[in-house]
PDB file of all heavy atoms in Angstrom:
ATOM      1  N   PHE A 160      -1.925   6.543 -15.078  1.00 88.00           N
ATOM      2  CA  PHE A 160      -2.451   5.991 -16.368  1.00 88.00           C
ATOM      3  C   PHE A 160      -1.477   6.272 -17.524  1.00 88.00           C
ATOM      4  O   PHE A 160      -1.274   5.415 -18.381  1.00 88.00           O
ATOM      5  CB  PHE A 160      -3.824   6.635 -16.667  1.00 88.00           C
ATOM      6  CG  PHE A 160      -4.439   6.085 -17.892  1.00 88.00           C
ATOM      7  CD1 PHE A 160      -5.120   4.880 -17.874  1.00 88.00           C
ATOM      8  CD2 PHE A 160      -4.369   6.765 -19.144  1.00 88.00           C
ATOM      9  CE1 PHE A 160      -5.722   4.352 -19.033  1.00 88.00           C
ATOM     10  CE2 PHE A 160      -4.959   6.222 -20.273  1.00 88.00           C
ATOM     11  CZ  PHE A 160      -5.642   5.049 -20.227  1.00 88.00           C
ATOM     12  N   ARG A 161      -0.871   7.448 -17.510  1.00 87.00           N
ATOM     13  CA  ARG A 161       0.077   7.795 -18.534  1.00 87.00           C
ATOM     14  C   ARG A 161       1.307   6.873 -18.502  1.00 87.00           C
ATOM     15  O   ARG A 161       1.860   6.527 -19.570  1.00 87.00           O
ATOM     16  CB  ARG A 161       0.545   9.251 -18.412  1.00 87.00           C
ATOM     17  CG  ARG A 161      -0.487  10.244 -18.746  1.00 87.00           C
ATOM     18  CD  ARG A 161       0.068  11.674 -18.492  1.00 87.00           C
ATOM     19  NE  ARG A 161       1.266  11.917 -19.369  1.00 87.00           N
ATOM     20  CZ  ARG A 161       2.101  12.895 -19.168  1.00 87.00           C
ATOM     21  NH1 ARG A 161       1.960  13.743 -18.149  1.00 87.00           N
ATOM     22  NH2 ARG A 161       3.146  13.077 -19.972  1.00 87.00           N
ATOM     23  N   HIS A 162       1.767   6.460 -17.331  1.00 83.00           N
ATOM     24  CA  HIS A 162       2.949   5.682 -17.184  1.00 83.00           C
ATOM     25  C   HIS A 162       2.635   4.274 -16.658  1.00 83.00           C
ATOM     26  O   HIS A 162       3.393   3.692 -15.908  1.00 83.00           O
ATOM     27  CB  HIS A 162       3.958   6.381 -16.299  1.00 83.00           C
ATOM     28  CG  HIS A 162       4.205   7.797 -16.607  1.00 83.00           C
ATOM     29  ND1 HIS A 162       4.722   8.180 -17.879  1.00 83.00           N
ATOM     30  CD2 HIS A 162       3.992   8.982 -15.983  1.00 83.00           C
ATOM     31  CE1 HIS A 162       4.826   9.493 -17.944  1.00 83.00           C
ATOM     32  NE2 HIS A 162       4.398  10.001 -16.803  1.00 83.00           N
ATOM     33  N   ARG A 163       1.477   3.778 -17.058  1.00 81.00           N
ATOM     34  CA  ARG A 163       1.010   2.471 -16.533  1.00 81.00           C
ATOM     35  C   ARG A 163       1.844   1.327 -17.003  1.00 81.00           C
ATOM     36  O   ARG A 163       1.835   0.210 -16.407  1.00 81.00           O
ATOM     37  CB  ARG A 163      -0.455   2.255 -17.008  1.00 81.00           C
ATOM     38  CG  ARG A 163      -0.675   2.192 -18.466  1.00 81.00           C
ATOM     39  CD  ARG A 163      -2.181   2.274 -18.830  1.00 81.00           C
ATOM     40  NE  ARG A 163      -2.406   2.184 -20.288  1.00 81.00           N
ATOM     41  CZ  ARG A 163      -2.361   3.263 -21.082  1.00 81.00           C
ATOM     42  NH1 ARG A 163      -2.052   4.431 -20.604  1.00 81.00           N
ATOM     43  NH2 ARG A 163      -2.598   3.142 -22.368  1.00 81.00           N
ATOM     44  N   ASP A 164       2.623   1.482 -18.099  1.00 82.00           N
ATOM     45  CA  ASP A 164       3.414   0.358 -18.631  1.00 82.00           C
ATOM     46  C   ASP A 164       4.890   0.522 -18.228  1.00 82.00           C
ATOM     47  O   ASP A 164       5.784  -0.030 -18.864  1.00 82.00           O
ATOM     48  CB  ASP A 164       3.305   0.336 -20.135  1.00 82.00           C
ATOM     49  CG  ASP A 164       1.918  -0.033 -20.593  1.00 82.00           C
ATOM     50  OD1 ASP A 164       1.230  -0.822 -19.884  1.00 82.00           O
ATOM     51  OD2 ASP A 164       1.481   0.456 -21.667  1.00 82.00           O
ATOM     52  N   GLU A 165       5.131   1.220 -17.135  1.00 82.00           N
ATOM     53  CA  GLU A 165       6.479   1.422 -16.614  1.00 82.00           C
ATOM     54  C   GLU A 165       6.552   0.940 -15.165  1.00 82.00           C
ATOM     55  O   GLU A 165       5.517   0.764 -14.548  1.00 82.00           O
ATOM     56  CB  GLU A 165       6.880   2.927 -16.690  1.00 82.00           C
ATOM     57  CG  GLU A 165       6.881   3.518 -18.114  1.00 82.00           C
ATOM     58  CD  GLU A 165       7.189   4.971 -18.087  1.00 82.00           C
ATOM     59  OE1 GLU A 165       7.836   5.445 -17.131  1.00 82.00           O
ATOM     60  OE2 GLU A 165       6.806   5.657 -19.088  1.00 82.00           O
ATOM     61  N   ASP A 166       7.768   0.786 -14.715  1.00 75.00           N
ATOM     62  CA  ASP A 166       8.023   0.454 -13.318  1.00 75.00           C
ATOM     63  C   ASP A 166       8.826   1.565 -12.672  1.00 75.00           C
ATOM     64  O   ASP A 166       9.651   2.210 -13.325  1.00 75.00           O
ATOM     65  CB  ASP A 166       8.818  -0.862 -13.179  1.00 75.00           C
ATOM     66  CG  ASP A 166       7.980  -2.110 -13.552  1.00 75.00           C
ATOM     67  OD1 ASP A 166       6.770  -2.103 -13.221  1.00 75.00           O
ATOM     68  OD2 ASP A 166       8.532  -2.975 -14.184  1.00 75.00           O
ATOM     69  N   PRO A 167       8.593   1.810 -11.363  1.00 72.00           N
ATOM     70  CA  PRO A 167       9.363   2.854 -10.703  1.00 72.00           C
ATOM     71  C   PRO A 167      10.837   2.456 -10.614  1.00 72.00           C
ATOM     72  O   PRO A 167      11.156   1.263 -10.542  1.00 72.00           O
ATOM     73  CB  PRO A 167       8.753   2.894  -9.302  1.00 72.00           C
ATOM     74  CG  PRO A 167       8.119   1.589  -9.134  1.00 72.00           C
ATOM     75  CD  PRO A 167       7.611   1.191 -10.487  1.00 72.00           C
ATOM     76  N   ASP A 168      11.684   3.432 -10.752  1.00 71.00           N
ATOM     77  CA  ASP A 168      13.137   3.207 -10.718  1.00 71.00           C
ATOM     78  C   ASP A 168      13.648   3.212  -9.259  1.00 71.00           C
ATOM     79  O   ASP A 168      13.731   4.271  -8.699  1.00 71.00           O
ATOM     80  CB  ASP A 168      13.858   4.210 -11.569  1.00 71.00           C
ATOM     81  CG  ASP A 168      15.344   3.948 -11.681  1.00 71.00           C
ATOM     82  OD1 ASP A 168      15.792   2.938 -11.105  1.00 71.00           O
ATOM     83  OD2 ASP A 168      16.059   4.687 -12.419  1.00 71.00           O
ATOM     84  N   VAL A 169      13.929   2.032  -8.719  1.00 67.00           N
ATOM     85  CA  VAL A 169      14.376   1.956  -7.350  1.00 67.00           C
ATOM     86  C   VAL A 169      15.637   2.752  -7.134  1.00 67.00           C
ATOM     87  O   VAL A 169      15.865   3.360  -6.058  1.00 67.00           O
ATOM     88  CB  VAL A 169      14.567   0.490  -6.930  1.00 67.00           C
ATOM     89  CG1 VAL A 169      15.116   0.386  -5.521  1.00 67.00           C
ATOM     90  CG2 VAL A 169      13.274  -0.256  -7.069  1.00 67.00           C
ATOM     91  N   GLY A 170      16.533   2.712  -8.147  1.00 63.00           N
ATOM     92  CA  GLY A 170      17.821   3.457  -8.012  1.00 63.00           C
ATOM     93  C   GLY A 170      17.656   4.920  -7.827  1.00 63.00           C
ATOM     94  O   GLY A 170      18.553   5.619  -7.317  1.00 63.00           O
ATOM     95  N   GLU A 171      16.526   5.468  -8.257  1.00 65.00           N
ATOM     96  CA  GLU A 171      16.280   6.927  -8.132  1.00 65.00           C
ATOM     97  C   GLU A 171      15.627   7.343  -6.802  1.00 65.00           C
ATOM     98  O   GLU A 171      15.380   8.475  -6.553  1.00 65.00           O
ATOM     99  CB  GLU A 171      15.398   7.394  -9.262  1.00 65.00           C
ATOM    100  CG  GLU A 171      16.111   7.439 -10.636  1.00 65.00           C
ATOM    101  CD  GLU A 171      17.329   8.313 -10.625  1.00 65.00           C
ATOM    102  OE1 GLU A 171      17.217   9.498 -10.286  1.00 65.00           O
ATOM    103  OE2 GLU A 171      18.434   7.843 -10.956  1.00 65.00           O
TER     104      GLU A 171
END
Side-chain angles (χ1 to χ4, degrees):
F160 184 80
R161 289 179 60 196
H162 310 300
R163 62 191 180 278
D164 295 326
E165 300 176 22
D166 289 321
D168 186 357
V169 177
E171 290 300 306

